[in-house]
Amino acid sequence: MRRNVQFQHRGSNTHHGRRPSISEASEGISEPGSPGPRTMNGSNEVSREEKEAKPQTDYEKKKQTFITRTIWTLVMIAGFFAAMFAGHIYILGIVTAVQIVSFKEVIAIANVPSRAKNLPFTRSLNWYFLGTTMYFLYGESVIYYFKHIVLVDRMLLPFATHHRFISFMLYVMGFVFFVGSLQKGHYRFQFTQFAWTHMALYLINVQSHFIMNNTLEGMIWFFLPASLVITNDIFAYICGITFGRTQLIKLSPKKTVEGFVGAWILTILFGFAMTNVLMRYKYFICPANDLGSNFFTGLHCDPNPVFRPHQYTFQPPLLLHSPPRTILIAPMQFHILVFASFASLIAPFGGFFASGLKRTFKVKDFGESIPGHGGITDRMDCQFIMGFFAFMYYQSFIAEYKASVGSVIETAIQGLSAEEQIEVVRGLTKYLVGQSQVGEGVLECLMGVLPRRR
């Protein structure tokens, strides 16, 4: 009785009121005149879009990251060696760029954009303090290493003699401006930014200043510490994945005790071999007395005694009845043991410190300055403290403190009157004439031009 009863369905105008089958639906999709939304561009384009929209697998992501990381690693290595062989001035330029970008990255992770919009001078003050700090530190280096140029120039002399006071007044101006910019409701944020800025200036810019001084003392004091940190990181990775078992520190779960110790031993061997190579070239061991020089033009100097081989006599402990043995070795080979040990045992804690800092602010990297590597700070976290140590060690145990032309000129300018300075010139001229270094005509000319002392 109910066979002829028909119920109304949606879309009853098609297929006589019944639900289309799967085959019918597929045929409808494949028909060129079908009005279905999936057939507007054809089945081939649909499949292509679905394929393109398919997310990358973990393997593909890791592969892409590895390729990008490798390419930029080779680019950085090539750029580093090109700058080193091109001359000291290019290394100084790289160090300057690194410290500016690192400062920007460290400041950025503590910034709160919503509050910074209401305090327009916060970012300006950060960069002002950076500029003031760099003016002071760069000025100190220029005056120390180039006194013989700066102190005899009429325009530069006032800036050189009053450099520290000028730097202090510049800082005080920024300090006063900061206090004047304090706003109610933002005190905590502003003082946090002030303290954070000064911490970044100390950890980055002050330590970078010593890296620049290392470069001016001799390219070896820049290249050797930097290469020890890089190779130690590579050795730690290789030893860690090969036989690492025991976790070293919780801040870096992938670091192992076995990798830490193995890298220490291999870094010492690398340092010993690399030092033996670098000591043969005066370009690396001579101070930068000419910023226009490069690896091909070379430098000329009387090398530091640590680079000259010495004879050492010792008695083999297992051969007490045999005659003493004598070896020829440069003292620098003993100093490199200390450098390599610091690069292996202490410098990595600069990286651990940076890891803790990133965990505090819940960021993976300090920035994206280097594709595949993160920010500049991520690659330089160990280099800053290593460069600081290299400077302190060099000044304490290796540097020779002899009178230089710049120091003599500084003493004469600051400690003698104009008349006394003229007498020094006459005395030196007479001495040089007596040593047959200059002709007597020079002395007669000076005697006729310089006024006599009253």
Side-chain angles (χ1 to χ4, degrees), residues 148-440:
H148 57 289
I149 298 175
V150 176
L151 296 177
V152 298
D153 189 280
R154 178 177 297 181
M155 295 293 294
L156 298 178
L157 180 60
F159 293 96
T161 53
H162 305 102
H163 172 71
R164 293 179 179 177
F165 181 77
I166 295 173
S167 301
F168 174 74
M169 292 307 299
L170 289 173
Y171 176 82
V172 168
M173 289 170 59
F175 176 78
V176 171
F177 190 82
F178 165 76
V179 175
S181 66
L182 291 173
Q183 295 184 17
K184 186 177 181 180
H186 299 282
Y187 293 150
R188 182 183 295 273
F189 172 75
Q190 288 181 287
F191 276 104
T192 300
Q193 288 291 308
F194 184 80
W196 185 256
T197 300
H198 283 70
M199 187 201 75
L201 290 173
Y202 170 73
L203 293 179
I204 297 174
N205 300 94
V206 172
Q207 295 188 110
S208 298
H209 163 70
F210 294 111
I211 295 177
M212 297 183 69
N213 287 352
N214 292 339
T215 306
L216 295 173
E217 292 287 356
M219 189 66 77
I220 190 173
W221 306 115
F222 164 80
F223 176 73
L224 201 55
S227 62
L228 289 174
V229 170
I230 295 172
T231 53
N232 178 259
D233 190 36
I234 296 173
F235 291 145
Y237 174 77
I238 295 174
C239 295
I241 64 175
T242 303
F243 49 81
R245 297 292 182 271
T246 309
Q247 187 180 33
L248 176 65
I249 188 170
K250 292 183 179 180
L251 282 173
S252 296
K254 296 182 180 180
K255 301 292 184 180
T256 62
V257 175
E258 294 81 2
F260 195 69
V261 176
W264 178 25
I265 298 172
L266 293 176
T267 302
I268 290 177
L269 297 177
F270 169 83
F272 191 87
M274 181 57 65
T275 303
N276 190 40
V277 173
L278 297 179
M279 288 192 304
R280 302 176 183 179
Y281 300 94
K282 285 191 174 182
Y283 175 73
F284 286 97
I285 64 177
C286 287
N289 47 36
D290 181 12
L291 291 180
S293 63
N294 55 53
F295 178 78
F296 302 100
T297 59
L299 289 171
H300 301 282
C301 69
D302 185 18
N304 191 298
V306 297
F307 299 118
R308 299 170 184 166
H310 292 186
Q311 284 189 350
Y312 295 91
T313 303
F314 68 100
Q315 180 67 47
L318 300 179
L319 302 173
L320 299 178
H321 299 290
S322 64
R325 304 291 178 87
T326 301
I327 60 173
L328 191 65
I329 189 171
M332 184 59 194
Q333 299 286 20
F334 298 113
H335 291 295
I336 198 59
L337 300 178
V338 182
F339 278 79
S341 296
F342 188 92
S344 303
L345 305 179
I346 306 299
F349 282 86
F352 301 151
F353 176 85
S355 298
L357 201 60
K358 289 185 287 187
R359 288 175 182 268
T360 301
F361 291 94
K362 298 179 181 180
V363 295
K364 181 181 178 182
D365 297 312
F366 281 100
E368 299 178 353
S369 304
I370 311 174
H373 290 267
I376 290 287
T377 313
D378 295 289
R379 302 276 66 85
M380 294 295 297
D381 45 14
C382 300
Q383 295 287 0
F384 291 128
I385 190 172
M386 184 66 202
F388 196 0
F389 166 79
F391 177 82
M392 293 300 177
Y393 187 90
Y394 171 81
Q395 294 294 332
S396 300
F397 302 104
I398 299 176
E400 290 185 295
Y401 295 98
K402 300 185 297 184
S404 64
V405 174
S407 61
V408 172
I409 294 176
E410 181 183 22
T411 302
I413 291 175
Q414 297 181 353
L416 299 177
S417 64
E419 293 181 352
E420 292 172 333
Q421 293 169 9
I422 292 174
E423 287 300 315
V424 170
V425 172
R426 287 200 183 97
L428 285 175
T429 305
K430 291 179 180 179
Y431 171 79
L432 293 174
V433 170
Q435 297 295 318
S436 300
Q437 297 296 316
V438 297
E440 294 185 1

Side-chain angles (χ1 to χ4, degrees), residues 88-101 129-147 150 159-160 163-164 167 201 204-213 215-216 291:
H88 298 74
I89 191 68
Y90 295 95
I91 293 296
L92 298 180
I94 290 178
V95 175
T96 302
V98 164
Q99 63 176 303
I100 293 175
V101 176
F129 282 122
L130 172 65
T132 300
T133 304
M134 293 183 66
Y135 172 80
F136 170 70
L137 296 175
Y138 276 66
E140 288 289 305
S141 297
V142 170
I143 294 171
Y144 180 80
Y145 290 102
F146 303 101
K147 294 176 182 177
V150 176
F159 293 96
H163 172 71
R164 293 179 179 177
S167 301
L201 290 173
I204 297 174
N205 300 94
V206 172
Q207 295 188 110
S208 298
H209 163 70
F210 294 111
I211 295 177
M212 297 183 69
N213 287 352
T215 306
L216 295 173
L291 291 180

